Amino acid sequence: AAPVYWITIQPHFHDLVVGTYGRGYWILDNITGLRALDADFMDRDVAVVDPMPAWRFQEIQDIKSTPTLVRGRNPAYGAAIDLWVSEEAAGPVTTEILDPTGDVIRTLNSRASAGLNRIRWDLRYESPKAPRLRTPPPDMPWIRMEEDGTRRLRTWDLDLTGGQVGPRAVPGTYTARIQVGDVTLETPVEVLKDPNTTGSVEEIRQQVALSLSIRDDLDEIGTMIDRLEWIREQVEDLQDLTRVEADAEAVAEAAATFREQLMEVEGRLFDLNLSGAREDAFRGPMRLYGRYAALGSDVSRFGADFAPTAQQVEVYEVLNERLEGAKVLMDQLLQVDLPRLNEQLRARGIPVIS
C-alpha cells in the first residue's frame, strides 16, 4: 500500500500512469476498453471496442542494456481487441482475422467471462503444422513417449523457432470477426509499419510472401511425417508379431525391407536420430524440416523489413526441389510398396497396414 501522488494518461497510447510515494510508478497499458464503458455499452450482451492501431515491428535480441535496475514489462505484442460480454453471453469466443482481401489468415479461440475481456492477436498468420513422432529413434528404445504415445519433433538449433511460427502480417487494414454464441461482430484492425525501418511496405509484402510459401511447405512436410510415422508404428508392431508367428520368415523379411524403404523417405524429411537432446544439433545434419525452419527464421525472424535476398530465394528453390524428390519417393512407397506388403499380410490373415 502506498499513497498515489500523481496520475496521468499518456494521450497517444492511452496508458494510465500512476506515480506513488517513494518514486514508484505503475502503468496500465491501453485503457481504451475501460474508457468505453458507459451505460449504453454495458447494456448490450456483446460489444466490441474499436482497437487501437497495432505497430508491426521486429523484436530486438539484446543482453541487459538498461542503465538502471528498474525494468518494466512490455505489453503483449500485437493488437488488443477489447470485448464486453454480459453474464448471459459469457462462454467460448472464436475470433477470425481476415486480410484486406477477405481471406481468413488466423483463428483464435478463447473464453469470455462476464465483463471486459481482451483478445490478443500477435499479428501473425497461422503457424505451420507441428509433426508428432510415434516411434523412438533407431537403436534408442529407451526414449520416452508422452502420454498420448507420441513425442515432439525437436530440432534443437538456436535459430529455428522463427521458422516454426506464422509470419507477421503486412501493414494494412485487417478485420477481426468475433463470434460469441449467436452474435457475430466485426471491427477493423489497423496494422502500422515500424517508422524506424527503411524497408518499404512492398518489400515487406515480398518477405511475407516467401515466408508463407515456407510455412506451407513446412505444413506439407509435417503432414508427410505424420503419415509416415503412423505407418512406421504399425510396421514396428508387425515386426514384433512376425517374430513369434511360425513360418513367418517371408513376411518378416518383406516387413523389414519395407521398413528400410520407409525410413529412407523419412530420413529425407527429418533426422531420424533426433532424441530431444540439445546435442542432437551437432550429431547429424539437418534434413528438410529443419532446413526449411532455419530458412524461415532467416527470412523473417529477428531480421529487417526488406525483401528476401537472392541467396534466400535460391536456397528456397534448392529445398523445394529436394521436397519434390521426397514426395515422388513417398508416392512410390504408398502406392506400390505398401500394397505389395499388404498382399502378403492378407495371404496369411494378418491385419493390413493402413
Side-chain angles (χ1 to χ4, degrees):
V4 171
Y5 273 60
W6 195 263
I7 180 170
T8 188
I9 294 175
Q10 202 282 341
H12 187 75
F13 293 102
H14 301 275
D15 294 339
L16 176 69
V17 184
V18 169
T20 67
Y21 179 77
R23 293 177 296 203
Y25 55 89
W26 183 84
I27 301 172
L28 178 60
D29 299 291
N30 184 6
I31 63 168
T32 51
L34 293 177
R35 303 180 96 174
L37 295 183
D38 58 21
D40 177 65
F41 191 85
M42 293 188 291
D43 193 44
R44 307 178 211 174
D45 279 339
V46 182
V48 64
V49 181
D50 288 339
M52 287 176 49
W55 295 92
R56 179 196 191 275
F57 58 87
Q58 304 283 0
E59 293 138 309
I60 297 175
Q61 283 182 307
D62 70 324
I63 303 171
K64 182 176 174 65
S65 57
T66 310
T68 171
L69 295 177
V70 178
R71 295 206 67 173
R73 185 175 64 187
N74 287 331
Y77 181 91
I81 305 165
D82 290 335
L83 182 71
W84 169 263
V85 178
S86 68
E87 288 189 14
E88 294 76 16
V93 178
T94 300
T95 304
E96 293 179 322
I97 306 298
L98 286 66
D99 69 10
T101 66
D103 292 332
V104 176
I105 64 170
R106 185 76 180 274
T107 301
L108 307 169
N109 294 304
S110 57
R111 189 171 186 85
S113 303
L116 196 62
N117 300 263
R118 177 159 285 179
I119 301 167
R120 284 283 184 184
W121 173 42
D122 60 2
L123 309 186
R124 291 189 178 278
Y125 285 75
E126 293 287 357
S127 298
K129 180 181 180 65
R132 304 290 296 182
L133 305 181
R134 295 175 171 271
T135 58
D139 305 319
M140 297 185 197
W142 60 85
I143 297 298
R144 284 190 173 186
M145 311 300 270
E146 296 177 18
E147 289 185 4
D148 62 356
T150 69
R151 62 188 178 98
R152 177 184 169 192
L153 171 55
R154 188 189 295 274
T155 50
W156 274 109
D157 207 322
L158 297 178
D159 65 341
L160 291 188
T161 53
Q164 294 167 301
V165 296
R168 291 187 180 94
V170 178
T173 302
Y174 294 76
T175 301
R177 185 164 62 199
I178 305 165
Q179 181 81 33
V180 184
D182 297 329
V183 178
T184 301
L185 301 173
E186 291 190 353
T187 186
V189 180
E190 187 178 4
V191 178
L192 302 178
K193 178 185 175 297
D194 183 351
N196 297 309
T197 64
T198 57
S200 67
V201 173
E202 178 55 34
E203 288 177 309
I204 295 174
R205 187 173 286 110
Q206 294 176 38
Q207 181 190 89
V208 172
L210 179 58
S211 297
L212 285 172
S213 295
I214 294 170
R215 190 276 311 267
D216 292 343
D217 288 336
L218 277 170
D219 254 345
E220 188 168 20
I221 294 171
T223 300
M224 293 169 68
I225 292 173
D226 281 344
R227 290 187 70 188
L228 292 172
E229 279 291 293
W230 179 263
I231 294 171
R232 183 145 75 103
E233 183 182 32
Q234 296 175 75
V235 173
E236 303 287 356
D237 292 341
L238 175 62
Q239 288 191 307
D240 293 337
L241 174 66
T242 54
R243 287 192 187 99
V244 298
E245 282 226 352
D247 305 322
E249 292 88 354
V251 176
E253 185 177 335
T257 299
F258 179 78
R259 179 175 179 271
E260 290 179 7
Q261 295 168 323
L262 177 65
M263 292 177 68
E264 160 65 22
V265 179
E266 272 199 296
R268 292 175 178 242
L269 303 179
F270 72 98
D271 179 6
L272 296 177
N273 295 305
L274 290 176
S275 64
R278 178 66 183 90
E279 295 79 10
D280 286 342
F282 312 109
R283 289 173 174 156
M286 287 195 298
R287 302 300 179 181
L288 276 173
Y289 186 83
R291 291 187 182 278
Y292 267 105
L295 178 61
S297 175
D298 193 46
V299 171
S300 62
R301 175 82 166 179
F302 298 126
D305 291 343
F306 294 122
T309 65
Q311 292 92 335
Q312 289 169 339
V313 173
E314 186 176 351
V315 168
Y316 175 74
E317 291 171 352
V318 169
L319 295 180
N320 213 246
E321 186 177 336
R322 293 180 185 177
L323 176 56
E324 290 303 315
K327 287 157 66 174
V328 170
L329 290 179
M330 183 165 171
D331 287 343
Q332 162 78 20
L333 186 79
L334 299 183
Q335 296 176 17
V336 179
D337 300 324
L338 181 57
R340 185 183 300 147
L341 174 61
N342 279 337
E343 285 180 13
Q344 297 187 52
L345 298 180
R346 286 193 191 92
R348 290 190 56 86
I350 300 174
V352 298
I353 295 172
S354 63

